[in-house]
Amino acid sequence: MVSDNSFTQRRGEDQQTADTPDRGQVILIGAITLAFIILGVVVIFNGVLYTETLSSADTGQSATTAEKTELEITQGIGCLLEKTEGDSSQVQENITAFAGTYQNSTAHSSPTAVHIDVTEGDIYPGENATVDITYDSTDLSYEQERTIEAGCPS
């Protein structure tokens, strides 16, 4: 005969009772405790990942974006000066068209406003042009005058 030491029987008025606690309650308490532990680990892990993402973010991005913008404008207008034949009013129209297109394309890709302004007296077709570049973003704002030489990068 097999006997269970954790189960004792009491006989009284033809009833049998167990002296052990209800095992269902122990399993339920254990499951709830395990759920809280997992939830805590997830919250801590998420906080660590968020902190790591913030600390590894590029902090000097504005200067890099401004330099890239300046290079794109210089190359675009330089190629335009080299390829456009005609008088300065034709070159000015092309630069104005380039400025509008460039402003629209940068407005869709980044929160910056770039304005290129040129006066007709500062344009020498096939040689150079002097333009005013205004760059505005949340982090950086500047205005400068640049003389751009004709020429496309090879």
Side-chain angles (χ1 to χ4, degrees), residues 29-44:
I29 291 171
I32 291 172
T33 304
L34 185 62
F36 276 114
I37 290 171
I38 290 173
L39 182 65
V41 168
V42 167
V43 168
I44 290 171

Side-chain angles (χ1 to χ4, degrees), residues 65-134:
T65 306
E67 290 171 356
K68 181 183 78 160
T69 300
E70 188 176 326
L71 179 66
E72 289 173 348
I73 291 171
T74 303
Q75 288 180 350
I77 294 177
C79 285
L80 197 131
L81 287 169
E82 183 178 295
K83 305 277 184 196
T84 304
E85 296 177 9
D87 60 350
S88 61
S89 63
Q90 178 66 33
V91 175
Q92 182 179 6
E93 287 178 21
N94 289 344
I95 291 174
T96 304
F98 170 79
T101 304
Y102 188 80
Q103 187 175 23
N104 288 338
S105 67
T106 56
H108 292 295
S109 63
S110 65
T112 60
V114 179
H115 181 71
I116 304 167
D117 190 29
V118 62
T119 55
E120 191 172 350
D122 294 334
I123 299 173
Y124 304 100
E127 295 179 23
N128 63 28
T130 303
V131 296
D132 294 322
I133 302 170
T134 306

Side-chain angles (χ1 to χ4, degrees), residues 11-60:
R11 294 185 188 247
E13 300 175 83
D14 294 331
Q15 292 181 350
Q16 294 180 353
T17 60
D19 288 338
T20 61
D22 196 8
R23 290 184 182 160
Q25 290 177 348
V26 172
I27 291 173
L28 182 63
I29 291 171
I32 291 172
T33 304
L34 185 62
F36 276 114
I37 290 171
I38 290 173
L39 182 65
V41 168
V42 167
V43 168
I44 290 171
F45 185 68
N46 190 24
V48 168
L49 285 179
Y50 181 72
T51 304
E52 182 179 335
T53 302
L54 286 180
S55 66
S56 65
D58 188 15
T59 55

